[in-house]
Amino acid sequence: MSSTMEIAVKETLTEAILERLAQDIVSGALPPEQNLRIEQLKEQYGVGASPLREALTKLTSLGFVTNETRRGFRVAPLTKKDLDDLTRVRQLIETEALREAMAVAGANWEMEIAGAFAKLSLAVTRQRDSAGEAQRMIEQAHKDFHVALLGACTSPRLMELQSTLYDQASRYRHVILAGAHELDGFVECHEALMRLTLAGDADVAAQALRDHLATTSQDVYG
């Protein structure tokens, strides 16, 4: 195997294990502050030490994992302070992206938002399916809705930041979804956000989005 092919295979393996680790951290299968020992993870995930270390290093930069000199890799803790900071930054990034999206958007953007909301609403109605599968469907539909909401934004960096911060917040949303039995209010608040956005007043829509993002902290910590 050529060195180029070896590098490509290694990068693919690293991305695959990164995705699996991130999913298990978000779902709570790897709980907050759990030690992430390389030898144990090698056996658990069936991969070598090198791609594991690279994946954990990447997850550290994304905020899912901590790496301390004496304690090694650990799943990042969940704290109110962290969520409050995460929410504040998301409000700054996403309201700016929303304003830009609304300034340049057209009919296609509006249809994307409406379609994403319809999928979110459908996913919630199917929450009585297998608990794990239903939660994954809701989370994916929820992410798709928020991406669609900002979809006309022309700044790749703003959208990249939105995606990274959304994924960090998904750990906290999992706490909400895991304990929820009825999500009618969940659908209604997203419908209200959609309608205010499509109404075209950027100031009103930005404030609605700001308030919406703040609800995660309120729902988790009261």
Side-chain angles (χ1 to χ4, degrees):
M1 183 182 295
S2 69
S3 59
T4 300
M5 290 182 63
E6 288 175 347
I7 292 172
V9 169
K10 184 178 179 181
E11 288 178 348
T12 300
L13 185 58
T14 297
E15 289 300 317
I17 191 60
L18 186 154
E19 183 175 349
R20 289 182 61 193
L21 285 166
Q23 289 174 349
D24 286 348
I25 290 171
V26 169
S27 71
L30 293 173
E33 301 190 66
Q34 176 170 314
N35 286 324
L36 298 172
R37 297 185 176 90
I38 297 297
E39 290 303 316
Q40 180 179 344
L41 294 176
K42 282 170 57 179
E43 182 176 344
Q44 183 174 347
Y45 291 95
V47 295
S50 181
L52 271 171
R53 287 196 182 91
E54 291 188 19
L56 289 170
T57 298
K58 178 65 172 177
L59 287 169
T60 300
S61 70
L62 293 174
F64 288 94
V65 171
T66 63
N67 184 15
E68 301 174 20
T69 303
R70 295 185 178 181
R71 303 180 72 183
F73 292 107
R74 287 175 176 262
V75 178
L78 295 179
T79 67
K80 185 178 186 303
K81 181 179 179 181
D82 176 65
L83 180 54
D84 287 345
D85 182 56
L86 176 57
T87 298
R88 183 174 66 87
V89 178
R90 287 190 70 198
Q91 288 171 327
L92 292 170
I93 295 298
E94 295 194 29
T95 55
E96 179 62 26
L98 180 63
R99 287 181 181 278
E100 182 172 320
M102 293 179 70
V104 301
N108 287 338
W109 171 69
E110 294 178 354
M111 288 187 290
E112 288 289 335
I113 295 174
F117 172 75
K119 291 179 181 178
L120 177 61
S121 182
L122 178 61
V124 171
T125 65
R126 301 178 65 177
Q127 65 174 306
R128 297 190 185 279
D129 294 350
S130 167
E133 181 59 28
Q135 189 165 319
R136 282 189 291 273
M137 287 178 61
I138 292 171
E139 179 58 29
Q140 185 59 57
H142 185 242
K143 183 173 186 176
D144 291 345
F145 173 80
H146 278 272
V147 169
L149 201 67
L150 312 178
C153 175
T154 59
S155 169
R157 287 183 175 85
L158 279 177
M159 295 306 293
E160 183 178 355
L161 285 168
Q162 185 274 338
S163 180
T164 297
L165 295 170
Y166 180 97
D167 289 342
Q168 289 179 13
S170 64
R171 299 178 65 209
Y172 293 92
R173 280 191 304 277
H174 177 82
V175 175
I176 300 170
L177 291 175
H181 299 290
E182 299 293 337
L183 291 174
D184 291 343
F186 180 83
V187 173
E188 291 169 1
C189 71
H190 285 85
E191 182 175 14
L193 179 59
M194 174 184 69
R195 291 188 182 281
L196 289 171
T197 299
L198 296 181
D201 188 319
D203 289 337
V204 171
Q207 185 60 53
L209 178 57
R210 189 177 294 109
D211 293 343
H212 177 79
L213 295 174
T215 61
T216 300
S217 182
Q218 296 165 6
D219 290 341
V220 174
Y221 292 105

